[in-house]
Amino acid sequence: MYLPIPTTPTKSARPTKNKLMNAVIFVVCMLVAVLITACGQKNADTLLASAKEYIAKKDYSSASIQLKSALQKQESGEVQYLLALSLVEIGDYVGAELQARRALLSKYDANIVYPVLAKAMFGLGDFSRIAAEFRKVTVNDSANQALILNIVGEAFLAQRQPNEALAAFDAALVKVPGEPRAKIGRARTRAATGDLTEPLKVADEILARSPNFAPALTLKADVLIAQLKPDEAIVTLSKLVEVDPFNGQARFSLISLLTANNKFDEAAKAIDAMKLAAPRDIRSGYLAGVLALRKGEPLKARDEAIKILSTMPDHPPSLVLVGAAEFQLGALSTAADYLRKAIAANPENIYARNLLIAIYLRQGEPGKAEDVLTPALKSSPADPTILRAAGEVAMANNQPKDAANYYAQALALEKNNALTQTRLAQIRLINGDTSDAVTGLEAASSLDKDQFQADLSLVALYFDKREFDKALQAVSTLEKKQPNNPLTYNVRGAVYVGKRDIRAARLSFEKALSIQPNYLPAASSLARLDLAEKNPAAAKRRYEFIIEKEPGNDGALLALAQLQILTSATDDDVVATINGAIKANPRSAQARLALIGFYTKRGNTKAAIEAAQLAAGALPTEPRVLEALGSAQLIAGDPNQAIEAFNKLIRLQPDSAAPLMRLASAQYAAKSVDDAIATLRKAIILKPDSLEAQAEIIAIQIASARVEEALKEAKTIQKSRPTEAIGFAAEGDILASQKRPADAASAYAEAIMRKPSAELVTRQYQMLVAARKQTDAASLANKWIQANPKDTTLKFQIANDFLAKKEYRDAAARYKEIVAIQPLNFGALNNLAWVLHELKDISAMSYAEKAYAIAPNNAEVLDTYGWLLHSKGEAVRGLTLLKQAASAAPTNIDARMHLAKALMAAGDKAASRKELDAVLQLSENSPLKSEAQRLLLSL
C-alpha cells in the first residue's frame, strides 16, 4: 500500500517517532493480509488441482483428502461435486449424497451432479427414493442421461417392478443406442421374469468382446444364481471383484452368496477385504451383520445394524436386519417396530413383510398379519414366499383348506422345494387327508438330502398313530440322509421308548452322544431313563459330564437343576446351579425365568421378586421377564407393583392384547374392577376376535356380583355373533354361577347347536346332573360318546363323578376306557391307580408308575405314587415323593395329609405336626379337618 508523505513538512505536521512506528506497522499488517488472502486462494487452487490429478489416476482416496482440505479453505460447488464423485468411487455413499446435494445447492452444473447423486443413492440401496426422484430428471448429456435411466431401471428392478424397469432401460437405449449397461439391464429384467437363456447369451456375447466388462460379469453371476449354480456364480463374482476392486455391489453380491451358501469363513475374509478396499462403504458392516445372523449370533447382528442406523436412521436394509435380529432374540414388538419402518421406506421388501407376518402370527394377531400380507399378495401373487405366508395366515384364521390351496400354488412354482412340500403335507394331515399327507411327506423326503423336516414329520405321524415299525423305517431313511447328525439317533431312541424297547433306546441315545458328546437332548433322554430305573446318580452324571467339558453350557446347567428338583436336592443346591447357568449366559431369559419359577413354586415370593427385578435390569426389553416380574408381584399380594410391571410390558408390546389381559388381572386383584374391565375392552379393540377378553369381562362381572351386567354382556355378544357359541356359553356360565342349572343347561345347548365341543357338552352334562335330570344327562353323554368315540373329555368328567361318589368300580372302568384311547394321559393313569388302590387291586402300582414316568413333576401324580409306595412298605422312597408333592402343591390338603401320616410312621413327630397344622389351616370345610385334629392329639 502507498502512503503519501508531505514533501515540505511543517513543525506541526512532522511525525513523531511513535507515529512513524504506527504507520510502519499498519503498512506491514496490510501487506500480510494481502499475502494471506493470496496464499489462501493459491492453496485452495493447488489442492483442487492436486485432487484432479489424483482423480485422473483413479486414486479417489487421495483425491477425497485433498478435496476435503480444499473445502475447509473455501466453499465451492466444483469441489463439492468432485468430492461427491470421489466418495462414490470409494464407497462412502452417505458422504457422497451429502456433497452432491450441497453442490446442487451451490448451483453447480446439475447435468454432471445428478449422475453422481444417483450413483450414491443406488449405493445406499435407497431404491424407492431413486425411482421417485430421478424418473423425470433430464440432463443435457446423452451418456449421463443414459446412466441415470439405467440406475432408475435397476432401482425399479430391485423393487420387483419389471415393467417400469424395462421402460427405463429402453429410454436409455434411445439416448445411447447399443449402450451396454442398458442392454444388460434389459437382460436382467427378462431374467427377473423367468427367462434365463437370453440374458446369459447377452452376457456371454459382451464378455466375448470385453472379458472384464463389470456389468456383463454381474449379469452372468445373477443368471447363474437364478439357475441355482452358486459355485459358478461365486467364481464369476470373484473375477468381477478382481477386475473392479472398488465395485461395492460386486463385493456385496459375492459376500451375500457366500453367506447364503454357508461358506462363512470365506464370507468373513471377503468382508475384511471389502473393508480394506472401501472402508467407508457401510454395506461391509451390514454384511457382517447378515453373516452373524446366519451363524446364529443375533446380538452381534443387531449391534452391526445399530451402528449403521446411528448415522442413517432410515437405512432400509439395516432396519430389516435389526428387525430379524430382534425376532431371533424374542423381542417381537421391537422387531415389529423396525420392520414396519422398513416396509414404510420400501413397501416392496417381501422379506420384511414375511418376517412381520411371522411376528404377528406368533403374537396371535392374524388380523394384523393379513393386513401386511394383502398388499404383497396383490403385487407379487406368484411369489412362493408370499404364498407360503398366505398359507400360514389362513391356518391362523382356521381356514386349513385355503391354507392348503396357497401351499399348493407355492409348490407349483417350486416343484423341488422340500419345505413347501412338507408343510403342504402337514396341512393336508390337519384337513384329514392322511394318505395324501403321507405321500407328500415321502415325496418331500426324496427332494433334498439336506432337508429332513419331512422325515421328522413322517416319524411323528407314525409315532402318534403308534405305528412304531413304520416310524423306524422313516428314521432309517433319515439316517441315510443324515448319518452323522445326532438328531437322527435321538429320534430313533424316542421311537424305541414309545415301543418300550428301552435297551435299543439307550443304544440309540448313546450313539447320538458318540457323535456329539455334548448333545443335550440325548443326554436328557438317557437321564430320564435313568430316573425311571431309579438311578438318579447316573442321570446326574450325564449332565455333570457335559458341564465338566463345557462349564459355560447353560442348557446343561438348567437340565441339572431340573434333575436336582426331581431328586429332592436342597433349595440352595438348585439355586446355585441355576445361578451358574445365569453366570454362564447373563442374557439367558430361560435361566433367569427358571430361577424366578423355582422361587415361585417354593412359595418364596420375596426371592422370586428379587430374581425378577435383577432379570428385568439385565434384560429390560425382554417381555417374558417383565411378565414374570408382574406375576411374582401379583402372587405376593402386591397388585399395584404388578400393575407397574405390566404397564412396562404394554409399552414394549403396544400392539399386543396379551399384556392388557395381564394388566386387567392385576387391576382386578387391586379391586379396581372398572379399570380391569376398561383394560379388557382395550384388548378387544386391539384384537376384536379376542374371545378370552370378552369371557374375562363376564367372569369379573360374575365374581363382582354384577350378574345383570354379565348377562347384558353375554346378550350383546349373542347379538353381535349370533352364529357363534361364545355368547350362549357365557350365559350358561352366568346361570351356573347363580345356581340355576336347568337354565344353564339350556344356554349350553344353544351354544352346542352353534359349535359342538367336548368342553361345552361336558358343562351341559354337569348342569343336567346338578338339575337332577339324570336321564337327559345320560342321553346326552351316550349320544356324544357314540358320535365321538375317541374324545375323552366327557368320559373323564363321568369317571371323576364316580370317583367323587366313591363308586370306584365304575370309575375304574371309565378311566380304563380313557387310557385305552390315550395311553399317555397321566391324569387318567393317576386316577386309575388311586381307585384301584382303593379297590385293593395289585395292578394299581403299575398305573402309578406309568403316570410318574410321563409326568414326574405333577403334584397329584407324586402324591398318588408316593402314597402307594408308602402303603406298599417302600417308606423311604414314598416319603421322598410325598415331600416333593407337598412342595410342588403346598395348598393340596390330601398331599399334606398323606405326608403327615408318612412322617408320623417314620417317627418324625415334629415334621408331622407341622404338616397337620398346615392341613388345619387349609381345611376349613374339609372332612380331613377332624382327622387332622385327631392325629394331632395322638402325637
Side-chain angles (χ1 to χ4, degrees):
M1 180 180 286
Y2 171 72
L3 291 177
I5 299 176
T7 55
T8 313
T10 62
K11 183 177 179 181
S12 61
R14 183 178 291 122
T16 63
K17 185 177 180 180
N18 287 341
K19 288 181 178 178
L20 284 170
M21 182 61 67
N22 290 339
V24 171
I25 291 171
F26 179 73
V27 170
V28 170
C29 288
M30 293 305 292
L31 286 170
V32 168
V34 170
L35 289 171
I36 288 173
T37 302
C39 289
Q41 182 63 51
K42 181 180 179 183
N43 199 16
D45 292 342
T46 301
L47 289 167
L48 179 58
S50 173
K52 288 180 177 179
E53 289 177 7
Y54 282 126
I55 290 173
K57 297 174 186 176
K58 296 189 176 181
D59 185 353
Y60 297 106
S61 294
S62 298
S64 66
I65 293 170
Q66 299 292 78
L67 291 164
K68 287 177 182 177
S69 298
L71 273 181
Q72 291 177 352
K73 305 289 183 183
Q74 181 182 357
E75 289 284 334
S76 163
E78 182 183 14
V79 174
Q80 289 161 341
Y81 157 69
L82 290 174
L83 180 54
L85 184 148
S86 300
L87 292 176
V88 161
E89 295 299 333
I90 63 175
D92 183 359
Y93 301 116
V94 176
E97 182 186 2
L98 176 64
Q99 294 302 330
R101 292 197 183 280
R102 284 181 176 175
L104 289 172
L105 287 172
S106 299
K107 306 298 183 183
Y108 196 68
D109 187 358
N111 291 294
I112 59 174
V113 176
Y114 272 128
V116 175
L117 178 59
K119 285 183 178 181
M121 292 173 67
F122 189 82
L124 289 171
D126 209 345
F127 305 126
S128 58
R129 276 208 301 150
I130 289 170
E133 186 170 346
F134 286 93
R135 64 191 306 176
K136 294 182 180 180
V137 165
T138 58
V139 296
N140 56 17
D141 181 80
S142 296
N144 279 340
Q145 184 66 51
L147 185 148
I148 290 173
L149 288 166
N150 283 330
I151 290 174
V152 170
E154 288 164 9
F156 277 126
L157 197 55
Q159 295 179 93
R160 302 191 181 197
Q161 294 176 266
N163 293 334
E164 290 83 351
L166 203 58
F169 292 131
D170 286 343
L173 287 169
V174 169
K175 288 292 179 183
V176 181
E179 205 279 325
R181 185 167 176 174
K183 289 177 67 177
I184 288 170
R186 279 185 56 84
R188 288 181 61 220
T189 306
R190 294 191 63 176
T193 59
D195 179 2
L196 300 178
T197 305
E198 183 64 25
L200 189 59
K201 182 179 177 182
V202 170
D204 286 337
E205 285 176 355
I206 295 173
L207 289 172
R209 296 191 301 271
S210 305
N212 295 333
F213 187 59
L217 287 168
T218 302
L219 173 60
K220 184 168 184 177
D222 288 346
V223 174
L224 290 170
I225 292 168
Q227 290 179 331
L228 302 179
K229 298 178 180 178
D231 292 335
E232 293 179 42
I234 287 170
V235 171
T236 303
L237 286 168
S238 298
K239 181 180 179 182
L240 175 57
V241 168
E242 286 179 15
V243 302
D244 190 3
F246 292 105
N247 188 328
Q249 186 60 40
R251 290 186 183 275
F252 183 91
S253 299
L254 174 60
I255 296 166
S256 298
L257 193 57
L258 290 169
T259 302
N261 285 275
N262 299 326
K263 298 186 178 185
F264 297 146
D265 292 339
E266 293 177 49
K269 290 177 183 177
I271 290 170
D272 291 339
M274 184 176 184
K275 288 178 179 178
L276 286 173
R280 294 183 179 276
D281 192 334
I282 62 168
R283 290 180 297 180
S284 60
Y286 168 75
L287 289 166
V290 173
L291 176 60
L293 197 67
R294 284 297 300 267
K295 290 171 68 178
E297 300 170 349
L299 281 172
K300 184 178 179 181
R302 182 180 67 183
D303 291 345
E304 292 286 356
I306 292 295
K307 286 178 191 175
I308 298 171
L309 292 173
S310 64
T311 57
M312 293 183 61
D314 298 319
H315 185 236
S318 296
L319 288 169
V320 177
L321 175 59
V322 74
E326 294 287 8
F327 176 77
Q328 286 195 13
L329 290 166
L332 300 185
S333 292
T334 305
D337 288 342
Y338 282 111
L339 291 168
R340 281 193 293 266
K341 194 173 180 182
I343 291 169
N346 183 8
E348 300 302 319
N349 191 317
I350 298 299
Y351 176 77
R353 284 190 181 274
N354 281 332
L355 197 53
L356 186 55
I357 289 167
I359 288 171
Y360 283 142
L361 291 179
R362 187 174 292 189
Q363 290 178 327
E365 298 178 294
K368 289 186 178 180
E370 194 163 5
D371 289 342
V372 178
L373 168 71
T374 302
L377 204 54
K378 289 180 180 177
S379 64
S380 305
D383 187 309
T385 66
I386 285 296
L387 289 167
R388 288 198 295 268
E392 293 307 313
V393 172
M395 285 297 294
N397 285 321
N398 295 316
Q399 298 167 334
K401 290 185 178 179
D402 290 341
N405 181 44
Y406 282 124
Y407 265 98
Q409 291 180 53
L411 189 60
L413 295 166
E414 305 179 297
K415 292 184 173 60
N416 295 321
N417 189 305
L419 290 175
T420 302
Q421 176 77 280
T422 301
R423 185 59 176 146
L424 176 58
Q426 292 169 339
I427 292 170
R428 283 175 173 164
L429 190 62
I430 292 169
N431 280 325
D433 302 331
T434 307
S435 58
D436 285 346
V438 171
T439 302
L441 290 171
E442 290 173 344
S445 173
S446 64
L447 284 174
D448 188 345
K449 66 182 181 64
D450 294 325
Q451 295 289 345
F452 44 87
Q453 184 62 46
D455 302 279
L456 295 175
S457 296
L458 269 174
V459 174
L461 172 62
Y462 289 131
F463 190 96
D464 287 343
K465 295 170 69 177
R466 305 191 66 74
E467 296 178 6
F468 297 119
D469 290 336
K470 288 184 178 180
L472 288 172
Q473 289 175 9
V475 175
S476 296
T477 303
L478 175 62
E479 185 177 2
K480 291 175 183 176
K481 296 165 69 173
Q482 297 285 318
N484 299 315
N485 189 338
L487 170 70
T488 300
Y489 306 97
N490 195 58
V491 171
R492 188 191 295 279
V495 176
Y496 278 126
V497 169
K499 217 180 165 186
R500 301 191 182 281
D501 187 343
I502 304 304
R503 181 177 177 278
R506 282 188 174 276
L507 289 173
S508 296
F509 295 136
E510 294 288 0
K511 172 71 174 176
L513 288 173
S514 70
I515 295 172
Q516 185 177 326
N518 66 344
Y519 189 65
L520 191 56
S524 297
S525 297
L526 284 167
R528 283 193 290 271
L529 293 178
D530 293 334
L531 279 179
E533 294 174 3
K534 303 179 179 61
N535 191 353
K540 185 180 179 184
R541 285 195 295 272
R542 305 278 180 194
Y543 300 123
E544 289 176 338
F545 174 81
I546 295 175
I547 294 165
E548 285 171 10
K549 300 293 183 184
E550 292 183 84
N553 191 319
D554 55 316
L557 285 162
L558 289 176
L560 176 59
Q562 186 61 38
L563 176 64
Q564 289 172 324
I565 294 169
L566 294 176
T567 53
S568 300
T570 66
D571 286 4
D572 288 344
D573 286 344
V574 175
V575 169
T577 303
I578 299 175
N579 276 327
I582 293 171
K583 184 179 179 181
N585 185 2
R587 296 192 63 82
S588 170
Q590 184 180 2
R592 292 186 180 274
L593 291 168
L595 183 60
I596 299 165
F598 176 75
Y599 281 134
T600 301
K601 286 182 180 178
R602 286 292 188 264
N604 191 345
T605 53
K606 181 181 177 182
I609 290 172
E610 288 175 356
Q613 288 171 335
L614 286 172
L619 302 169
T621 61
E622 173 52 64
R624 290 174 296 170
V625 167
L626 280 174
E627 183 173 0
L629 173 59
S631 298
Q633 290 164 334
L634 203 52
I635 291 169
D638 193 349
N640 291 322
Q641 287 295 317
I643 287 170
E644 183 180 339
F646 291 136
N647 274 321
K648 289 180 181 177
L649 182 60
I650 289 166
R651 287 193 288 273
L652 273 179
Q653 298 180 320
D655 298 324
S656 175
L660 289 167
M661 299 287 293
R662 302 296 291 131
L663 175 61
S665 65
Q667 290 169 327
Y668 178 70
K671 299 185 174 12
S672 300
V673 174
D674 291 334
D675 288 344
I677 292 173
T679 298
L680 289 167
R681 295 204 187 282
K682 289 179 184 177
I684 293 171
I685 291 170
L686 274 179
K687 191 178 179 184
D689 58 345
S690 177
L691 305 182
E692 184 184 357
Q694 290 178 315
E696 193 64 26
I697 289 173
I698 293 173
I700 289 175
Q701 289 169 333
I702 292 171
S704 304
R706 300 181 179 185
V707 179
E708 293 303 319
E709 289 181 35
L711 280 170
K712 184 179 178 181
E713 190 83 27
K715 294 294 184 184
T716 300
I717 297 171
Q718 291 172 10
K719 187 175 180 180
S720 63
R721 299 183 174 196
T723 61
E724 295 184 30
I726 177 174
F728 300 94
E731 183 182 2
D733 292 343
I734 297 164
L735 295 170
S737 74
Q738 294 300 298
K739 296 188 172 18
R740 295 167 57 185
D743 293 335
S746 297
Y748 287 135
E750 289 288 337
I752 292 166
M753 285 175 58
R754 286 157 176 80
K755 188 177 180 180
S757 73
E759 182 183 358
L760 287 173
V761 170
T762 301
R763 284 194 233 172
Q764 186 188 14
Y765 172 83
Q766 290 172 314
M767 290 300 102
L768 289 171
V769 170
R772 297 182 180 177
K773 296 184 177 183
Q774 304 294 347
T775 303
D776 291 343
S779 174
L780 172 69
N782 289 333
K783 286 180 181 178
W784 178 258
I785 292 170
Q786 285 179 6
N788 304 275
K790 296 292 185 182
D791 182 75
T792 60
T793 307
L794 182 56
K795 288 182 179 181
F796 206 92
Q797 178 62 45
I798 294 170
N800 287 346
D801 287 347
F802 283 129
L803 174 61
K805 292 184 291 186
K806 296 187 177 181
E807 297 177 13
Y808 296 132
R809 294 194 183 281
D810 288 331
R814 292 292 186 175
Y815 286 130
K816 284 181 179 179
E817 289 178 11
I818 296 168
V819 170
I821 298 168
Q822 296 177 335
L824 302 180
N825 187 323
F826 67 85
L829 287 166
N830 178 71
N831 290 4
L832 177 56
W834 183 258
V835 297
L836 290 173
H837 170 70
E838 292 294 316
L839 291 169
K840 298 184 172 26
D841 188 322
I842 59 172
S843 66
M845 183 62 76
S846 66
Y847 289 109
E849 287 174 344
K850 289 175 184 176
Y852 177 71
I854 296 165
N857 300 324
N858 183 273
E860 292 188 3
V861 169
L862 287 165
D863 177 45
T864 299
Y865 190 30
W867 185 247
L868 265 63
L869 286 169
H870 171 79
S871 302
K872 188 182 175 184
E874 294 186 33
V876 175
R877 179 151 171 73
L879 184 58
T880 298
L881 294 178
L882 289 170
K883 286 179 179 178
Q884 290 178 27
S887 176
T891 59
N892 186 317
I893 303 174
D894 289 327
R896 301 298 286 267
M897 178 63 88
H898 288 148
L899 177 56
K901 290 178 178 179
L903 288 166
M904 185 182 294
D908 192 344
K909 292 184 179 181
S912 178
R913 186 176 290 107
K914 181 181 177 182
E915 293 302 319
L916 289 169
D917 285 338
V919 171
L920 286 175
Q921 290 179 3
L922 293 168
S923 59
E924 291 183 7
N925 300 314
S926 170
L928 291 177
K929 185 173 185 178
S930 59
E931 185 180 1
Q933 290 171 331
R934 180 177 57 78
L935 289 174
L936 271 172
L937 290 173
S938 70
L939 287 174

